[in-house]
Structures are given as structure tokens and as C-alpha cells.
């Protein structure tokens, strides 16, 4: 492996609309307290998860270069992830679900670079580097699981969202940021929680993105693998939560065999989960994913798919039976008595593509004011327009440069000067251009000559409908501005002095030539730690994590007694102190004598 590798070619292949979410990690912003939080969680997790996590977890920690002692850098992770065909990027907290999925399709892990505060050490609703780096990254060392994650991203990126989903995404993002930001008033948190609660309780028909997000939650985030009686953890939400990884194994948490039913089980991001799903193996995850994909508009198309796009009010694409793809914001459709789509409209910038590449001359510069077209077969003619060869067209009076009028089975009529047609690679006619054209339906004029040239899409039916553009280069998609940004903490003078103590203890541990305790081996370092402990006790009596770190290095009875006193004063963290002491005692037993 080349030591000088600074990037990963997978990142160079990311399209601009995904690159806009990437942020610098700003490693120097991690405080000594942040590093101690990472170390505590990782030591606790590795100790416990070695018994209950899927076998690929510990191996994955090694393969992905994730250290127990310090927060990983994107530089280091990308050097090693490259070896297993993946990459990682830092982002600012939550990003839109479709973008998150598309990153996965490119085999890029999205890592929120912030880290939870000490008071949220067991669990945080906000994505953070413990959740992403210590949860998601190690498990992709399993090839079966890594392929599931990639395929999930590919399918999920096509899922159609609703206007409600966008509102919900922003509300959850705002709540998670406020909960993690120091100095946030309780009133603001309460208001954000009330907004999320209100949106959660709002009765809406579930969109594709909300259903596939449920599957993602119950597998990638909170999945178990094995048997209902003896499951192992593989979900990142469990792997990264020292509270929930133990909680989930209790009998009070219902274990359910994984199936497509999980798509219809909602979740509450702010609470421990009352039930979890168990897949027999990672290969079965792919089966359920394909079963779900078969229900999506990307595979079913038709009026239901177009209706989803209209209701989403977002950029989306339909593909016709000729392969012509129309990308834009869909606003209208007309259906016949059999519910088949016989006409559709977009509003604003629209582009036409074929096989995910924009058709030359049919981008947003030509179709800046929307696109509209009838669909279906012509009245009284059994042969579909798309299947007509040059002689067939002449037989039905389609001559380039000649006026023509015709009627669809739906009753839509087109009258204008036929300019030319465009065929796909298979020879099917997929686009016909007219000038001086009028399109009518019943008593309504759908298109008139004042609107310019009329480009008529050719196709019997809509075979696919999905979120986003067919060719992402057709649109300026680098326009993401979230309504809320992660709050950067400014340390108070007291917090700064506490962080300085954490830093000094860390430096002692790094200088130590031998395994702790240091009682006999390094008297100068012991003296320094004793002085640091005295300052801690006098100036920061509420802190519980640094006394643990000092006890690990010294085994002072004085520090142990102080920790016992802290447990009585701070009952909410007494179990965390107990776990820390137990880890230290276990470490002592395992050291060679």
C-alpha cells in the first residue's frame, strides 16, 4: 500500500451534485474530550461486541484502519478502504435520503464528522463519526454485506419522495443539531421536537423513499443476523451505541424474522427500538431488496409512477417504451378509461435523454419552459408509431416538410408541419418534431404555435418512473442549501481548562513506555498524573470520564474512591463508571506478569 495516497479514485468519480455535500473533516476541531469519548466508546464496544457482533465486525475494524484510541481521519480511512473497493467522505450531519443512497451506489461511505457530546455518550439521534466510522465502516469488510449496501444505494437513489418527506428530513435534521449543540435553550429543543412529532403523526400515504428508508433502518442501521434465538449484531446504529448494543439483546426487545413487512414498520429515531428484525444471512437481505424493488415505480412505471412524481414536486424522470427519458418536474397527466396515461406535462427546465445520456439538442436550453406530449396509439391504426418504418410513415402521410393531422385513440389531435423524426439504437421512432403545431383534447388547446416547435415524445406507455434526472449533467444540481447547519461549539474558559487536562493525560498515556499502571515504572509521570487529578477534582467535580483515564494509568486507590463517590453523586452515569472500571480490571488481568 502506498503511504502517500491522499485520496481514493472512487471520490474522483463522484458527480458534482454529490460532491456538494462533502465537507472537510477539520480534524483539528476534535477536542481532547472528543478523543476521550471516542476511546471510551470504542474500548467498551470492542470488549462487548466481540461476543455479540457478526464475526466480520472485529476483522472489519482492522481492515478499515479504525483505531480504538483515536478518532479516524478521512485520509487514513480512504487509504485502507481503497483496498476493499470503497471510499469515505465527511459530510455535515444529515443529508437528503436520495443523496445518501446515491453515495452508497458509488461505494462511498458517508461519514458525519461531528462527534457526540459526553452527556450523549451512549446514544445520539444525530449522525456522528462514532455511528458512521465505528458502525458502518467495519461491517463492509464482509463482501456479501458490502454488495448489499451498494445495491441498496442503487435502488434507493431511484425511490420517489413526497413533499412531506422533504419537510420531515429538515425537521429531524434541525432537532438532531439542536440536541447536540451546547447552549441550546430547552424551548428551542421542545419546539423542534414538537415539529417532528407533529409531522410523524400526520397521516400521509407512505412514499417510496419512506418505505425504503424503513428497510434501511431495520437492516443497515438496526439489523440482526442469524437466528431469532441467537442473533448477532450487524446494524451500525447498534454497533455504535454502547447503550442499545446491550439493550437489544434483552428478551424485552422483540426479535422478528426479516421480511418485506419491515418496509411498513415505522421507527422513532429518538428512542430505543422496541423490536428488531433478524435476517438469516446477508444474501437474504438482497432477496428482500429485490422483492421491494419490484413494487417501485422504477420497475412498474404506468400512471401510478407518474402520479408519484407529480405529487413529489421534485425533479424526476419517466422512461417510455421507446427508451426516451423525460426529466423534469411533472405537473399533469391525462388518463383514459383504462387509467393509461395518454398525455403528460412538465413545468420549467426539462431534458430528454436516452440510456441516461442527454439527447443532443434536447436539453434545458430547448425545453426551458416545460415539455408536454400525448402518448399511446393512433386511432384506427394497429401499428404503434414507434414501430413504424419510413415506408409505414409515408403510408400514413408522415412526410418530412409536409403538413399532417392525426388523432390518438384517446381523442387527442395533433396538426402541424412535420419537420423530422429521431430513432433510437433499436430503430424505433422516439421523437417527432413539428412546427406551426396545435395539439387539442376535447375543447382544450394543449399546445399552440405561439409556444414554438412541438417535440412529440413517441411511446405506447410509461415503463419506468424514478427520482432525479436521467442524465445528472442536464441540470444544475449543485444548489443544496439546507435550512439548518451544524452548530460549531465555542469552548468556554472552564471547558477549555478541562480539555487541557484531558490533553495532558492523553500525552502521559502516549509517553508511557510500558502498559499501565505506571506506579513503579515512571515516577515522574505518576507525579504529573497526581497533580492533574488534584486539579480535576478541585475545578471540574462533575467530570467522570477523565478520572477513569487517570485510574487506568495509575490504579490509585484515591482515584478509585473518588469514582465510587462520583457514582453516588451522579447516578445517571454510575453504570458508565462501573463499565469503565470493569474494563480496566479486565485489562489488568489480561496483562502478562
Amino acid at each position: 500500500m502506498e503511504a502517500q495516497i491522499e485520496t481514493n479514485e472512487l471520490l474522483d468519480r463522484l458527480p458534482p451534485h454529490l460532491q456538494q455535500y462533502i465537507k472537510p473533516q477539520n480534524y483539528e476541531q476534535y477536542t481532547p474530550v472528543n478523543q476521550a469519548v471516542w476511546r471510551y466508546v470504542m474500548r467498551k464496544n470492542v470488549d462487548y461486541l466481540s461476543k455479540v457482533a457478526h464475526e466480520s465486525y472485529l476483522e472489519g475494524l482492522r481492515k478499515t484502519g479504525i483505531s480504538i484510541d483515536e478518532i479516524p481521519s478521512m485520509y487514513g480511512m480512504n487509504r485502507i478502504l481503497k483496498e476493499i473497493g470503497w471510499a469515505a467522505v465527511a459530510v455535515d450531519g444529515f443529508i437528503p435520503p436520495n443523496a445518501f443512497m446515491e453515495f452508497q451506489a458509488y461505494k462511498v461511505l458517508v461519514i458525519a464528522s461531528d462527534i457526540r457530546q459526553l452527556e450523549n455518550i451512549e446514544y445520539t439521534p444525530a449522525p456522528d463519526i462514532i455511528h458512521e466510522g465505528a458502525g458502518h465502516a467495519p461491517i463492509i469488510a464482509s463482501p456479501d454485506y458490502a454488495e448489499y449496501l451498494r445495491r441498496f444505494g442503487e435502488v434507493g437513489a431511484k425511490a420517489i419522495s413526497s413533499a412531506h418527506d422533504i419537510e420531515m428530513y429538515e425537521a429531524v435534521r434541525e432537532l438532531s443539531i439542536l440536541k447536540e449543540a451546547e447552549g441550546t435553550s430547552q424551548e428551542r429543543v421542545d419546539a423542534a421536537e414538537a415539529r417532528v412529532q407533529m409531522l410523524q403523526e400526520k397521516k400521509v400515504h407512505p412514499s417510496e423513499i419512506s418505505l425504503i428508508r424503513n428497510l434501511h433502518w431495520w437492516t443497515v442501521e438496526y439489523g440482526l443476523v442469524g437466528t431469532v434465538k441467537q442473533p448477532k449484531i450487524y446494524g451500525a446504529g447498534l454497533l455504535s451505541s454502547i447503550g442499545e448494543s446491550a439493550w437489544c439483546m434483552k428478551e424485552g426487545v422483540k426479535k422478528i424474522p426479516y421480511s418485506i413487512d419491515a418496509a411498513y414498520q415505522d421507527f422513532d429515531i429518538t428512542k430505543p427500538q422496541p423490536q428488531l428484525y433478524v435476517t438469516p444471512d446477508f444474501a437474504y437481505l438482497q432477496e428482500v431488496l429485490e422483492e421491494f424493488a419490484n413494487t417501485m415505480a422504477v420497475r412498474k412505471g404506468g400512471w401510478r409512477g407518474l402520479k408519484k412524481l407529480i405529487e413529489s414536486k421534485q425533479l424526476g424522470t419517466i422512461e417510455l417504451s421507446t427508451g426516451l427519458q423525460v426529466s423534469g418536474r411533472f405537473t399533469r397527466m391525462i388518463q383514459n378509461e383504462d387509467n393509461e396515461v395518454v398525455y403528460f406535462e412538465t413545468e420549467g427546465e426539462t431534458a430528454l435523454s436516452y440510456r441516461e445520456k442527454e439527447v443532443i439538442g434536447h436539453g434545458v436550453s430547448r425545453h426551458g419552459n416545460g415539455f408536454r406530449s400525448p402518448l399511446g396509439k393512433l386511432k384506427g391504426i394497429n401499428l404503434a408509431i414507434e414501430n413504424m418504418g419510413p415506408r409505414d410513415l409515408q403510408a400514413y402521410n408522415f412526410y418530412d416538410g409536409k403538413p399532417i393531422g392525426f388523432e390518438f385513440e384517446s381523442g387527442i389531435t395533433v396538426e402541424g408541419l412535420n419537420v423530422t423524426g429521431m430513432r433510437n439504437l433499436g430503430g424505433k421512432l422516439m421523437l417527432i418534431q413539428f412546427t406551426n403545431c396545435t395539439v387539442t383534447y376535447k375543447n382544450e388547446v394543449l399546445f399552440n404555435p405561439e409556444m414554438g416547435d412541438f417535440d412529440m415524445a413517441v411511446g405506447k406507455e410509461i415503463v419506468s418512473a424514478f427520482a432525479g434526472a436521467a442524465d445528472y449533467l442536464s441540470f444544475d444540481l449543485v444548489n443544496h442549501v439546507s435550512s439548518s447547519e451544524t452548530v460549531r461549539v465555542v469552548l468556554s474558559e472552564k471547558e477549555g481548562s478541562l480539555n487541557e487536562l484531558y490533553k495532558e493525560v492523553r500525552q502521559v498515556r502516549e509517553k508511557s513506555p510500558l502498559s499501565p499502571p505506571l506506579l513503579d515504572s515512571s515516577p515522574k509521570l505518576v507525579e504529573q498524573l497526581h497533580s492533574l487529578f488534584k486539579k480535576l477534582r478541585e475545578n471540574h467535580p462533575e467530570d467522570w470520564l477523565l478520572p477513569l483515564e487517570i485510574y487506568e494509568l495509575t490504579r490509585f486507590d484515591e482515584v478509585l474512591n473518588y469514582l465510587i463517590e462520583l457514582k453516588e453523586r451522579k447516578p445517571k452515569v454510575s453504570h458508565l463508571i462501573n463499565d469503565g472500571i470493569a474494563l480496566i480490571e479486565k485489562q489488568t488481568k489480561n496483562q502478562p506478569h
Side-chain angles (χ1 to χ4, degrees):
M1 193 185 308
E2 296 287 326
Q4 67 268 27
I5 294 173
E6 294 183 12
T7 186
N8 180 317
E9 57 261 28
L10 288 176
L11 302 182
D12 300 332
R13 298 214 300 257
L14 287 174
H17 69 278
L18 291 183
Q19 289 183 7
Q20 69 181 315
Y21 298 107
I22 301 174
K23 309 286 184 186
Q25 187 185 17
N26 295 327
Y27 196 90
E28 69 283 355
Q29 286 190 1
Y30 295 124
T31 66
V33 172
N34 293 156
Q35 294 285 1
V37 166
W38 170 274
R39 185 170 182 269
Y40 178 91
V41 173
M42 290 303 295
R43 290 176 72 234
K44 177 81 174 68
N45 275 6
V46 170
D47 177 66
Y48 175 67
L49 293 172
S50 60
K51 309 181 201 72
V52 297
H54 185 265
E55 60 190 19
S56 61
Y57 176 73
L58 292 178
E59 176 67 9
L61 282 177
R62 185 187 64 78
K63 281 188 177 179
T64 51
I66 294 170
S67 164
I68 289 174
D69 286 322
E70 60 185 8
I71 297 169
S73 69
M74 292 299 106
Y75 169 84
M77 284 186 69
N78 271 308
R79 275 196 305 133
I80 297 171
L81 281 171
K82 182 176 182 286
E83 300 298 318
I84 55 177
W86 281 71
V89 294
V91 298
D92 186 24
F94 282 109
I95 65 172
N98 288 91
F100 182 89
M101 301 285 184
E102 199 174 352
F103 270 110
Q104 281 185 197
Y106 278 93
K107 301 177 79 171
V108 174
L109 284 177
V110 172
I111 293 181
S113 55
D114 294 326
I115 188 166
R116 65 197 63 179
Q117 294 180 55
L118 182 54
E119 55 264 38
N120 295 333
I121 196 167
E122 289 189 278
Y123 171 77
T124 174
D128 77 339
I129 196 161
I130 292 177
H131 173 83
E132 314 282 7
H136 285 297
I139 205 73
I140 65 165
S142 163
D144 276 351
Y145 183 74
E147 174 54 21
Y148 169 68
L149 206 61
R150 185 203 66 79
R151 182 67 180 142
F152 198 106
E154 204 169 51
V155 172
K158 301 292 186 185
I160 300 170
S161 62
S162 66
H164 176 76
D165 292 322
I166 305 302
E167 198 177 358
M168 189 71 190
Y169 155 71
E170 287 292 356
V172 171
R173 177 181 166 86
E174 182 184 28
L175 174 60
S176 69
I177 288 170
L178 290 176
K179 280 196 165 186
E180 277 299 306
E182 290 186 14
T184 304
S185 69
Q186 191 57 45
E187 288 81 5
R188 288 188 69 192
V189 173
D190 290 345
E193 283 183 335
R195 184 183 173 211
V196 170
Q197 188 72 24
M198 180 269 292
L199 290 171
Q200 282 181 333
E201 291 173 355
K202 192 174 180 181
K203 297 296 179 186
V204 294
H205 187 72
S207 65
E208 287 182 351
I209 198 71
S210 67
L211 294 176
I212 204 165
R213 191 171 57 227
N214 286 347
L215 286 184
H216 193 271
W217 183 264
W218 298 121
T219 60
V220 176
E221 297 294 348
Y222 278 81
L224 300 174
V225 61
T227 66
V228 170
K229 296 289 184 187
Q230 290 185 305
K232 296 284 188 181
I233 297 171
Y234 74 89
L238 297 173
L239 292 173
S240 61
S241 170
I242 56 180
E244 286 210 89
S245 58
W247 165 260
C248 75
M249 288 301 176
K250 294 182 178 177
E251 288 187 8
V253 179
K254 190 177 180 184
K255 314 297 191 301
I256 305 168
Y258 181 59
S259 71
I260 197 172
D261 294 343
Y264 301 92
Q265 176 62 59
D266 291 331
F267 59 88
D268 184 343
I269 194 172
T270 64
K271 297 174 183 174
Q273 308 309 311
Q275 76 281 308
L276 297 172
Y277 291 86
V278 186
T279 182
D281 50 45
F282 292 148
Y284 184 67
L285 296 175
Q286 293 255 35
E287 286 185 39
V288 174
L289 178 61
E290 290 304 312
E291 186 182 353
F292 179 79
N294 286 333
T295 71
M296 291 172 61
V298 69
R299 292 190 181 175
K300 295 183 79 70
W303 70 269
R304 289 184 178 86
L306 180 52
K307 183 170 182 280
K308 288 176 182 178
L309 285 179
I310 292 170
E311 290 174 349
S312 79
K313 301 177 183 177
Q314 305 291 314
L315 176 63
T317 299
I318 61 170
E319 182 173 327
L320 306 181
S321 48
T322 55
L324 182 69
Q325 296 165 316
V326 182
S327 299
R329 284 172 176 79
F330 292 85
T331 55
R332 184 186 180 190
M333 66 176 170
I334 298 174
Q335 296 167 261
N336 63 17
E337 59 275 9
D338 296 323
N339 275 332
E340 295 166 333
V341 178
V342 296
Y343 174 84
F344 68 87
E345 284 184 17
T346 69
E347 186 179 83
E349 292 186 340
T350 304
L352 309 184
S353 300
Y354 179 68
R355 294 188 175 178
E356 283 70 48
K357 295 294 180 187
E358 183 177 295
V359 176
I360 294 172
H362 287 279
V364 298
S365 57
R366 182 173 177 85
H367 303 294
N369 296 315
F371 184 86
R372 61 205 67 212
S373 181
L375 296 175
K377 294 175 69 176
L378 298 182
K379 189 174 182 179
I381 300 175
N382 287 328
L383 188 63
I385 305 175
E386 62 201 68
N387 294 324
M388 291 182 181
R391 288 185 179 179
D392 299 315
L393 289 171
Q394 290 175 6
Y396 295 113
N397 296 317
F398 279 84
Y399 289 96
D400 288 354
K402 301 285 185 181
I404 187 173
F406 51 91
E407 183 179 356
F408 284 84
E409 288 180 343
S410 61
I412 294 175
T413 61
V414 177
E415 293 183 10
L417 187 72
N418 180 18
V419 178
T420 188
M422 183 179 291
R423 296 182 182 273
N424 65 20
L425 286 174
K428 286 188 175 184
L429 197 61
M430 65 179 189
L431 197 64
I432 303 176
Q433 182 185 341
F434 300 90
T435 59
N436 196 30
C437 187
T438 302
V439 182
T440 58
Y441 177 65
K442 296 182 179 177
N443 295 320
E444 181 184 3
V445 176
L446 300 172
F447 191 93
N448 62 55
E450 287 73 40
M451 298 166 75
D453 290 346
F454 179 63
D455 294 302
M456 188 180 82
V458 178
K460 296 193 295 287
E461 60 187 346
I462 297 170
V463 298
S464 180
F466 54 88
D471 183 345
Y472 62 80
L473 294 176
S474 296
F475 298 86
D476 178 13
L477 300 176
V478 186
N479 53 15
H480 170 70
V481 179
S482 178
S483 64
S484 49
E485 293 184 0
T486 299
V487 178
R488 299 297 172 198
V489 175
V490 177
L491 297 179
S492 67
E493 187 178 342
K494 186 172 183 180
E495 289 166 338
S497 70
L498 178 61
N499 271 281
E500 191 59 35
L501 293 178
Y502 269 89
K503 179 182 176 181
E504 289 187 55
V505 171
R506 184 179 184 86
Q507 287 172 342
V508 168
R509 186 171 60 249
E510 290 169 350
K511 278 191 262 180
S512 171
L514 301 169
S515 300
L518 305 173
L519 281 172
D520 302 318
S521 58
S522 305
K524 282 187 178 178
L525 294 180
V526 170
E527 186 180 338
Q528 184 182 352
L529 286 170
H530 193 276
S531 172
L532 292 171
F533 175 63
K534 187 179 177 184
K535 289 179 186 175
L536 174 73
R537 190 167 56 181
E538 289 173 358
N539 301 319
H540 306 281
E542 296 303 307
D543 187 82
W544 61 269
L545 183 52
L546 191 55
L548 274 173
E549 294 215 326
I550 293 172
Y551 181 62
E552 178 192 354
L553 290 167
T554 64
R555 307 297 198 275
F556 285 154
D557 288 338
E558 180 186 9
V559 182
L560 179 59
N561 291 334
Y562 180 72
L563 285 165
I564 293 168
E565 177 203 329
L566 266 177
K567 286 196 296 179
E568 293 174 3
R569 278 198 288 119
K570 298 175 69 71
K572 284 188 177 178
V573 297
S574 62
H575 63 294
L576 297 172
I577 296 171
N578 279 335
D579 289 346
I581 292 170
L583 269 175
I584 292 165
E585 289 174 350
K586 187 174 182 180
Q587 179 183 335
T588 304
K589 287 178 186 175
N590 292 337
Q591 281 174 5
H593 297 287

